[in-house]
Amino acid sequence: DIVMTQSPDSLAVSLGERATINCKSSQSVLNTSNNKNDLVWYQQKPGQPPKVLIYWASARESGVPDRFSGSGSGTDFTLTISSLQAEDVATYYCQQYLRTPITFGQGTRLEIK
Amino acid sequence: EVQLVESGGGLVEPGGSLRLSCAASGFTVTNAYMTWVRQAPGKGLEWVGRIKSKPERGTIDYAAPVRGRFSISRDDSKNTLYLQMNSLKTEDTAVYYCTTYSWVVDSTRGNWFDPWGQGTLVTVSS
């Protein structure tokens, strides 16, 4: 199984400041058939299902504010929120979809400092 | 509009059974990879299992913790996915989400999960 490990588990950032969440996979999630990383970032707010923010590690989903960006390749990935807004308080998950079992990171809880 | 609506959750005693349903609209489950994901209270997301599309023989894969106890199926005439849960344990307590792969509505998209249903809560307790 591909193990996904996020850091930190929780994060407090001031409004307008940058938030950075890391995700590391136990093996590469690069899909050699299309040379894309099969890595997605979700945002989840209490009582709601996850919402797609970033797919293929760095492609922003339609409608997602451009303060959200994803980077990385192979086994190391980062989700960055360039200027934290109050509505960004949530838990963030990375997930690999290269192979089953599909696996998620443990989540990073983002709060306002 | 693509939509998934789960139902069937509730309180069940350890060792009991429950069947969850997921009604799909806006696409046909026959041609989709349908997936169940669960989330224990205050915990992270856990993949439960998946059924492939009919053209791919409807192959089913399960996560190790549920293999042999849970069964995924679909009813094409009702455009509905099911999760039959037997021999339930307290650790199966969770919100169960139904989801599918994003390419179901746009073939240029990939194998991430989108959309998701709102989830149905299963509580296993005596």
Side-chain angles (χ1 to χ4, degrees):
Chain A
D1 299 4
I2 300 177
V3 177
M4 309 298 291
T5 304
Q6 291 181 227
S7 60
D9 290 335
S10 63
L11 181 62
V13 174
S14 301
L15 290 173
E17 295 300 304
R18 178 185 300 262
T20 301
I21 299 170
N22 300 300
C23 175
K24 187 174 185 66
S25 58
S26 61
Q27 53 188 277
S28 175
V29 297
L30 178 66
N31 189 331
T32 55
S33 69
N34 59 11
N35 204 37
K36 294 181 179 181
N37 290 278
D38 284 353
L39 188 286
V40 61
W41 288 96
Y42 298 101
Q43 176 193 66
Q44 187 181 33
K45 297 182 178 180
Q48 297 182 18
K51 169 191 171 184
V52 176
L53 295 176
I54 303 288
Y55 55 87
W56 282 323
S58 60
R60 190 181 307 110
E61 176 70 300
S62 175
V64 172
D66 61 6
R67 63 180 180 272
F68 290 91
S69 64
S71 63
S73 183
T75 61
D76 291 278
F77 302 90
T78 300
L79 174 69
T80 301
I81 308 172
S82 61
S83 176
L84 189 71
Q85 304 300 303
E87 60 265 32
D88 301 335
V89 169
T91 300
Y92 294 83
Y93 295 92
C94 62
Q95 176 224 310
Q96 65 81 18
Y97 48 92
L98 179 65
R99 60 176 58 98
T100 55
I102 304 300
T103 46
F104 296 85
Q106 78 276 19
T108 295
R109 180 172 296 184
L110 178 59
E111 300 172 336
I112 304 293
K113 183 187 292 183
Chain B
E1 179 190 6
V2 175
Q3 192 173 13
L4 297 166
V5 179
E6 303 95 335
S7 61
L11 175 63
V12 60
E13 292 186 347
S17 298
L18 206 59
R19 188 179 81 158
L20 307 183
S21 300
C22 171
S25 57
F27 71 100
T28 58
V29 298
T30 308
N31 296 324
Y33 282 31
M34 299 301 297
T35 298
W36 289 98
V37 173
R38 68 183 180 182
Q39 186 170 36
K43 302 298 184 182
L45 301 164
E46 180 184 24
W47 181 82
V48 172
R50 170 196 74 189
I51 181 169
K52 289 188 177 181
S53 62
K54 190 172 183 178
E56 299 201 37
R57 304 181 183 180
T59 304
I60 305 174
D61 299 295
Y62 298 97
V66 308
R67 196 174 297 134
R69 299 187 300 122
F70 289 12
S71 176
I72 297 174
S73 63
R74 63 170 179 244
D75 184 329
D76 295 340
S77 68
K78 296 182 179 179
N79 211 32
T80 298
L81 174 74
Y82 299 102
L83 180 66
Q84 177 67 43
M85 303 184 293
N86 299 328
S87 303
L88 281 161
K89 305 175 181 180
T90 55
E91 53 263 41
D92 294 320
T93 294
V95 173
Y96 284 74
Y97 293 103
C98 167
T99 185
T100 188
Y101 287 32
S102 69
W103 48 255
V104 76
V105 290
D106 179 349
S107 60
T108 66
R109 291 167 66 85
N111 293 344
W112 54 90
F113 297 137
D114 185 48
W116 296 63
Q118 285 298 312
T120 187
L121 175 63
V122 173
T123 303
V124 185
S125 175
S126 55

